[in-house]
Amino acid sequence: MEKADKKEYVLSLLVNNKPDVLARIAGTLGGKGYNIDSLCVDITMNPKVSKIILTTRTSKIMIGRIVNALNKLLDVIRVENLSEVESIKREMILIRMNLMKETKPDLMKAIDILNCKILTFNTDHCVLQFTGSREDIDKVLSTLQPLGIDDIARTGAAALERKY
């Protein structure tokens, strides 16, 4: 498969909230040579059901095979390809910044321009939060990188089909 044929797909799975379900899903994909780029999992309004949002880069033919393989798993209730419908996708990132005297004014300006939320702020570090598209988060990271990023934690995509 040519690299140009690959694109990002976002799948939404409803599954029974049981031990080992996520491991079987990951094993199904990994066993067939598919990589999971991001994963977001939590219970739904029904505590017996979990929602898994996963992203992967593959071809249109292969995503059909992935969906079919996942639908065959016992505890999978439903699989939706959110890339084929209008959907809302967001990621969240926490960024711990080193506070240095020489970069602090530029950092404060960047925080304001980028609309980052300050969660903690002390004499030598601050922790920022930002929520947006993957592209927005990449832009925030590239802007803040020269200003002293110490560490990050990124969620991966959360997504919902947009209904009218």
Side-chain angles (χ1 to χ4, degrees):
M1 172 174 35
E2 293 293 318
K3 207 172 189 122
D5 294 344
K6 289 184 175 185
K7 75 172 213 170
E8 180 181 81
Y9 288 91
V10 179
L11 300 180
S12 174
L13 292 79
L14 287 180
V15 300
N16 291 317
N17 186 14
K18 294 181 179 176
D20 210 35
V21 173
L22 182 57
R24 278 184 267 130
I25 289 168
T28 297
L29 271 70
K32 296 182 184 303
Y34 306 123
N35 187 45
I36 297 172
D37 293 330
S38 76
L39 197 58
C40 183
V41 184
D42 208 344
I43 60 170
T44 63
M45 297 301 288
N46 176 353
K48 294 181 180 180
V49 176
S50 290
K51 180 178 276 192
I52 299 172
I53 305 294
L54 69 86
T55 63
T56 188
R57 294 192 65 77
T58 191
S59 69
K60 187 171 184 149
I61 292 169
M62 296 311 255
I63 200 66
R65 292 181 184 163
I66 291 171
V67 169
N68 287 339
L70 292 172
N71 273 318
K72 291 177 184 175
L73 295 176
L74 183 61
D75 284 307
V76 172
I77 300 165
R78 185 174 73 222
V79 180
E80 292 180 87
N81 182 348
L82 295 181
S83 303
E84 294 180 346
V85 297
E86 190 171 344
S87 59
I88 307 296
K89 296 180 259 324
R90 291 293 180 267
E91 292 185 25
M92 193 266 298
I93 189 168
L94 299 176
I95 309 163
R96 186 173 54 232
M97 300 291 301
N98 292 316
L99 293 178
M100 297 171 280
K101 188 177 179 181
E102 60 275 4
T103 59
K104 193 172 179 181
D106 290 335
L107 176 60
M108 296 312 294
K109 188 190 308 184
I111 289 170
D112 187 47
I113 290 169
L114 297 168
N115 274 337
C116 292
K117 182 176 180 182
I118 300 171
L119 300 179
T120 65
F121 198 93
N122 62 34
T123 56
D124 59 350
H125 285 87
C126 68
V127 176
L128 308 175
Q129 175 185 308
F130 183 80
T131 303
S133 68
R134 175 173 291 178
E135 294 79 16
D136 291 341
I137 287 178
D138 290 342
K139 178 183 170 192
V140 166
L141 287 172
S142 66
T143 302
L144 295 177
Q145 183 67 43
L147 300 174
I149 292 178
D150 181 44
D151 198 5
I152 67 168
R154 196 167 176 167
T155 62
L160 283 175
E161 179 179 355
R162 183 176 181 163
K163 301 272 185 167
Y164 294 97

